[in-house]
Amino acid sequence: MTTPPTPKALGGVGTYIDDRFHSARFAGVNLRKVFPNHWSFMLGEIALYSFIIILLSGTFLTFWFNPSMHEVVYDGSYTKLHGVTMSQAYESTLRISFDVRGGLLMRQVHHWAALIFIAAMFVHMLRVFFTGAFRKPRELNWLIGATLLILGFVEGLLGYSLPDDLLSGMGLRIAEGVLLSIPVVGTYLMFFLFGGEFPGHDIIPRFFTLHVLLIPGIMLALVVAHFMILWHQKHTQYPGKGKKESNVIGTPMYPAFAVKAGAFFFFVFGVTALLGAFAQINPVWLYGPFTPAAISSGSQPDFYMGWLEGSLRVFPAWEINAFGYTLALSVLIPALGIPGLVFTPLIIWPFLEQWVTGDKRQHHVVDRPRNAPVRTAFGMSGVTLYGLLWLAGANDVISERLDVPLYGTTWFFRFALILGPIIAFIVTKRICLGLQRRDAAAASHGYESGIIKQLPSGEFIEVHQLLTEDAETVAVAKKEVPALAAAVDGDGVPSPGSRSMMGRVRSRLHNFVVKDDIPVGEPHGNGHGDGHGGRPELGEAEAEERKELRH
């Protein structure tokens, strides 16, 4: 098949650009860049495409939204609120919803895209964490991703507060209480943010500036940096036949990956548009304008803020009174301490794992989660903690729906938040070790085929089928954790570093990571272990026989 000639006009444009920027070689190399084929890599694409949808829909909404807390009397299309005094922010939100053509659709598309964006980032980071894709040389990209996730939470809170409805006002009231709980400077921070007593007249204009200018600009810069680093570094890939640290097997950027990525963008856009058209979200006209004296029952924040709501609900009412001051631990710890407990390990994990394991190798082939049982167990503990806090944020709804006492649900979550992550860690680690043992057995002896065979002696046995070459490569793809540097010198004297407190802590953590490790030998063994997980090499005849059995 002959390649069709390049159109003359297109060739002329290419020549014009190359004569001035000398970009032909650069473009040729980058258009051939290979991207691995695996569905989990599409999670990051979903986050990127939903971010683009947020920017486009948000730009549309800014043409009609009025970020002012100046009070007006409503006389618009929604007759049930006629004569009600409200802020111009809430009035303009109603105008967008009922009077601007396509306004309600854009509002809902914007809201759904924000939820998809944060959910995709969350799941994408879980994929990176469980597979170890954050390891050297990708630590900086992990930090960028964690920062984007945190900024996504903040950006969502700001955008949720802009309509100045009753539900979002409750969130602002909680934010005020959190600021006031900070010792010494809390009152000053609250007055600085709100411009005076709550709610003041400055908070919505300030949130609007942060929501549409500052934070999106920072996030856009971080997204660009994230993809520039990703483009410069080799893409990670899952273990498999022919996949090495020195290569990438997949689809070239042009034309296959570009066409697939373009189609996937329109798919994400289509799903978001369908949700915006048919799935109602945040109907602010049902809540009414915010007034500090009103409250709504059964109100719930968006899912990404629900876990913080849960931490506030279940924490005991602890206060410390000293020297005429009150320290509200019941607000300070759950609102600031719990996020610190979650995000601090998340941010420092690549460096902590590298320090504990002493593994400073470059990793371009990721781990299977089962092959890093301690990391996977810690990750599942975090997911369990997040899930329980998220459920605790709806303890009143759970109590009402299940007809159980409210304080009973509160005490249940208090115990569950302590025991749940511990149980999740133990169970996950044991599952990972069990899967490792199964992989080791399958690589050495094959897997149970379900075929029963009768021996000449009359004995019945089940035939073990050998793994395919690709499956065997995956089964033995586990990388051993390197040993720490020698803790003693040639004369048997312990090194100063190993005798220090941090040295002893590091040694114990390293032993905790590797003590239950299940060794897996190299492929093409004869099924007779050598006691260390390795398997002797086969002779040519036996290797040919195993090859025939596979096929």
Side-chain angles (χ1 to χ4, degrees):
M1 178 178 179
T2 59
T3 304
T6 304
K8 185 176 181 180
L10 186 60
V13 171
T15 303
Y16 181 89
I17 294 174
D18 186 53
D19 286 344
R20 286 151 182 80
F21 300 103
H22 305 289
S23 58
R25 183 176 180 183
F26 174 82
V29 170
N30 285 278
L31 289 176
R32 292 195 300 269
K33 184 177 177 64
V34 175
F35 289 84
N37 294 318
H38 195 273
W39 65 266
S40 65
F41 292 112
M42 301 173 77
L43 297 170
E45 294 182 45
I46 294 174
L48 173 64
Y49 301 151
S50 58
F51 182 65
I52 295 173
I53 296 170
I54 291 171
L55 294 179
L56 296 176
S57 58
T59 301
F60 176 90
L61 295 174
T62 55
F63 291 143
W64 287 277
F65 182 72
N66 186 355
S68 171
M69 298 189 74
H70 178 71
E71 291 186 344
V72 296
V73 177
Y74 182 72
D75 61 350
S77 300
Y78 190 66
T79 57
K80 293 184 178 181
L81 289 177
H82 274 185
V84 176
T85 302
M86 60 185 64
S87 67
Q88 287 185 331
Y90 185 66
E91 187 271 340
S92 64
T93 304
L94 294 178
R95 181 158 48 90
I96 291 172
S97 301
F98 295 107
D99 299 318
V100 176
R101 180 168 297 182
L104 180 59
L105 175 64
M106 281 298 181
R107 272 196 62 235
Q108 301 205 144
V109 164
H110 189 71
H111 202 137
W112 277 115
L115 296 182
I116 295 172
F117 174 61
I118 296 178
M121 278 200 300
F122 185 75
V123 181
H124 174 63
M125 288 198 70
L126 286 179
R127 197 276 302 175
V128 172
F129 179 85
F130 284 125
T131 60
F134 55 80
R135 293 173 295 177
K136 184 179 178 180
R138 297 176 179 83
E139 302 95 333
L140 180 58
N141 242 2
W142 173 262
L143 295 180
I144 291 175
T147 304
L148 281 170
L149 182 63
I150 296 172
L151 288 177
F153 285 1
V154 176
E155 180 76 340
L157 174 63
L158 298 180
Y160 191 76
S161 304
L162 289 180
D164 197 33
D165 60 289
L166 181 59
L167 191 59
S168 66
M170 293 298 101
L172 283 179
R173 177 63 93 177
I174 294 174
E176 179 215 15
V178 171
L179 289 175
L180 289 175
S181 70
I182 301 175
V184 183
V185 298
T187 304
Y188 299 97
L189 291 176
M190 192 279 292
F191 272 81
F192 172 76
L193 180 63
F194 288 90
E197 291 284 353
F198 178 86
H201 292 84
D202 299 332
I203 188 64
I204 296 300
R206 291 177 176 180
F207 273 18
F208 180 76
T209 303
L210 294 173
H211 181 71
V212 304
L213 290 177
L214 181 61
I215 296 182
I218 296 174
M219 294 182 72
L220 183 59
L222 290 175
V223 168
V224 172
H226 187 79
F227 278 92
M228 287 179 65
I229 295 173
L230 174 66
W231 195 274
H232 175 72
Q233 296 173 341
K234 232 174 9 177
H235 208 296
T236 58
Q237 58 185 344
Y238 286 90
K241 184 179 178 181
K243 297 179 180 179
K244 305 175 183 178
E245 299 287 352
S246 57
N247 69 355
V248 179
I249 297 177
T251 303
M253 172 67 185
Y254 183 83
F257 184 81
V259 172
K260 183 177 71 173
F264 192 51
F265 167 77
F266 287 107
F267 177 80
V268 173
F269 181 81
V271 170
T272 308
L274 288 174
L275 287 171
F278 297 107
Q280 186 182 72
I281 189 169
N282 198 24
V284 295
W285 53 89
L286 298 181
Y287 310 138
F290 173 70
T291 56
I295 191 171
S296 59
S297 62
S299 59
Q300 300 295 319
D302 284 332
F303 81 93
Y304 52 87
M305 299 300 296
W307 65 291
L308 295 176
E309 174 89 2
S311 65
L312 286 168
R313 291 193 182 197
V314 302
F315 203 83
W318 289 352
E319 291 183 353
I320 297 178
N321 297 297
F323 305 105
Y325 296 93
T326 299
L327 186 61
L329 297 178
S330 57
V331 178
L332 181 64
I333 293 178
L336 297 178
I338 298 298
L341 181 65
V342 172
F343 285 115
T344 301
L346 182 73
I347 292 172
I348 68 171
W349 186 270
F351 311 98
L352 178 64
E353 181 174 308
Q354 185 180 100
W355 178 72
V356 170
T357 61
D359 186 1
K360 296 185 179 180
R361 300 169 294 181
Q362 293 211 5
H363 295 274
H364 302 295
V365 178
V366 297
D367 288 332
R368 303 172 79 195
R370 66 185 66 181
N371 291 335
V374 173
R375 180 205 302 148
T376 304
F378 270 114
M380 286 306 302
S381 294
V383 172
T384 302
L385 177 66
Y386 177 90
L388 289 171
L389 286 172
W390 181 72
L391 287 173
N395 67 337
D396 55 341
V397 178
I398 293 174
S399 176
E400 188 269 332
R401 295 292 182 181
L402 300 182
D403 195 22
V404 294
L406 176 63
Y407 290 108
T409 62
T410 301
W411 277 103
F412 168 80
F413 283 115
R414 286 174 179 173
F415 282 103
L417 287 170
I418 297 173
L419 298 177
I422 297 174
I423 295 173
F425 182 91
I426 296 172
V427 172
T428 302
K429 186 178 178 183
R430 301 316 304 175
I431 291 174
C432 289
L433 293 174
L435 292 174
Q436 283 190 39
R437 290 189 178 92
R438 189 183 71 175
D439 286 343
S444 296
H445 309 292
Y447 62 92
E448 297 175 351
S449 64
I451 300 173
I452 306 300
K453 181 179 180 181
Q454 184 178 16
L455 298 179
S457 63
E459 178 186 1
F460 288 91
I461 62 170
E462 184 175 14
V463 177
H464 277 227
Q465 188 72 36
L466 296 178
L467 297 174
T468 63
E469 289 187 52
D470 190 40
E472 188 175 21
T473 303
V474 173
V476 299
K478 176 183 172 183
K479 302 181 183 70
E480 301 296 337
V481 177
L484 290 177
V488 296
D489 58 20
D491 298 326
V493 179
S495 64
S498 64
R499 295 198 303 269
S500 66
M501 182 182 70
M502 293 304 295
R504 292 194 296 269
V505 170
R506 183 187 186 192
S507 178
R508 291 179 181 178
L509 289 175
H510 184 273
N511 292 335
F512 177 72
V513 171
V514 303
K515 69 176 182 179
D516 294 325
D517 210 22
I518 308 298
V520 178
E522 296 297 327
H524 308 305
N526 63 357
H528 302 288
D530 62 358
H532 298 85
R535 289 175 288 162
E537 293 297 325
L538 298 175
E540 291 185 5
E542 191 172 358
E544 286 297 326
E545 181 182 354
R546 288 172 67 90
K547 188 174 181 180
E548 291 178 4
L549 286 173
R550 280 196 181 94
H551 299 289

